[in-house]
Amino acid sequence: MAVKDPLLDRKIMEAATAEFLEHGFQGASLRQIAQRANLTTGALYTRYDGKDALFCAVVEGILAEIGHVFDPVRQSYLDAQRECSAEAILAAIRQEEQAYHQILLQYYDQCVLFFCKSDGSSLQAKLEQMMAYKARETVAYMEGLTDKTVNADAIEMLLSEQFYSYRALLQKHLDAERSVACLRVADAFHEAGWKELLHQIMS
């Protein structure tokens, strides 16, 4: 790989982001990215192994941020589990939703690419793995709260609804103010579902 050149790498990242946003991973062209960056395709290959490697490089910031932002959320869930109250768990859920909001608004274009434009890339499988892991983790967490049978299907449905509402928001390309307004409505809708589920588990 070529020696890093921050100015050139930024130029490539900007060109690649624009191309991937416009055409998605599958429809994007390294030749077009090179043209946008005023480079040859060969020059791109000296820095990235191919289109997938370049796509991953564009999106890597959000992947690093997800782990960083969610560390305090994990602790809130552990504290709520020890307290074993529906309100504490709902507070942890709200904190997690705020973390989603922070990432969506701070890394909007990268979120669009990861959640809406990654079909055909290696990150498509990573996204699917993350969603499956989140479902398993949530079911296990809820099972730890009660000796009752937990409705795993309902949990998976709620998580899917949250994901698809965020994805739909990203596809609309709204400004920050309108995005926040939509997120508040969606979160209120989802919270009603979590409240009902927790009532069934903990009553």
Side-chain angles (χ1 to χ4, degrees), residues 30-202:
L30 281 179
R31 183 176 59 81
Q32 289 298 324
I33 292 170
Q35 286 184 359
R36 287 176 185 263
N38 294 317
L39 297 170
T40 65
T41 306
L44 279 183
Y45 275 108
T46 65
R47 313 190 81 77
Y48 302 96
D49 290 336
K51 187 166 71 168
D52 189 76
L54 180 53
F55 186 80
C56 290
V58 170
V59 178
E60 68 181 356
I62 184 182
L63 301 179
E65 188 66 12
I66 285 172
H68 174 71
V69 166
F70 282 93
D71 282 341
V73 175
R74 293 186 188 94
Q75 187 58 51
S76 294
Y77 275 114
L78 291 174
D79 293 343
Q81 191 174 42
R82 283 191 291 269
E83 186 175 332
C84 201
S85 75
E87 189 49 49
I89 295 164
L90 286 170
I93 290 172
R94 294 185 199 108
Q95 184 180 353
E96 182 175 11
E97 288 169 344
Q98 289 302 311
Y100 286 131
H101 297 183
Q102 178 182 334
I103 291 171
L104 286 172
L105 296 174
Q106 187 174 352
Y107 296 89
Y108 198 91
D109 285 347
Q110 289 177 318
C111 284
V112 171
L113 293 176
F114 184 46
F115 292 107
C116 306
K117 305 275 188 174
S118 63
D119 288 359
S121 74
S122 61
L123 290 183
Q124 178 185 12
K126 186 175 184 66
L127 176 58
E128 292 168 355
Q129 291 166 3
M130 287 172 60
M131 291 177 64
Y133 173 78
K134 177 63 176 174
R136 292 194 304 270
E137 184 182 58
T138 305
V139 169
Y141 180 86
M142 294 297 180
E143 287 176 341
L145 298 172
T146 181
D147 56 3
K148 298 179 180 179
T149 301
V150 172
N151 190 338
D153 293 328
I155 291 172
E156 292 174 5
M157 182 186 70
L158 278 169
L159 291 171
S160 294
E161 287 296 328
Q162 284 183 299
F163 170 76
Y164 285 111
S165 65
Y166 292 146
R167 190 175 193 176
L169 175 66
L170 289 166
Q171 290 171 331
K172 286 182 176 293
H173 295 283
L174 302 178
D175 60 34
E177 183 177 354
R178 293 174 68 194
S179 293
V180 169
C182 288
L183 286 168
R184 286 174 180 161
V185 173
D187 289 344
F189 175 78
H190 300 139
E191 183 168 319
W194 290 117
K195 281 182 177 179
E196 175 59 26
L197 187 67
L198 288 167
H199 174 73
Q200 293 175 13
I201 291 173
M202 305 181 74

Side-chain angles (χ1 to χ4, degrees), residues 20-33:
F20 287 131
L21 284 172
E22 186 173 344
H23 299 289
F25 174 79
Q26 291 180 317
S29 160
L30 281 179
R31 183 176 59 81
Q32 289 298 324
I33 292 170

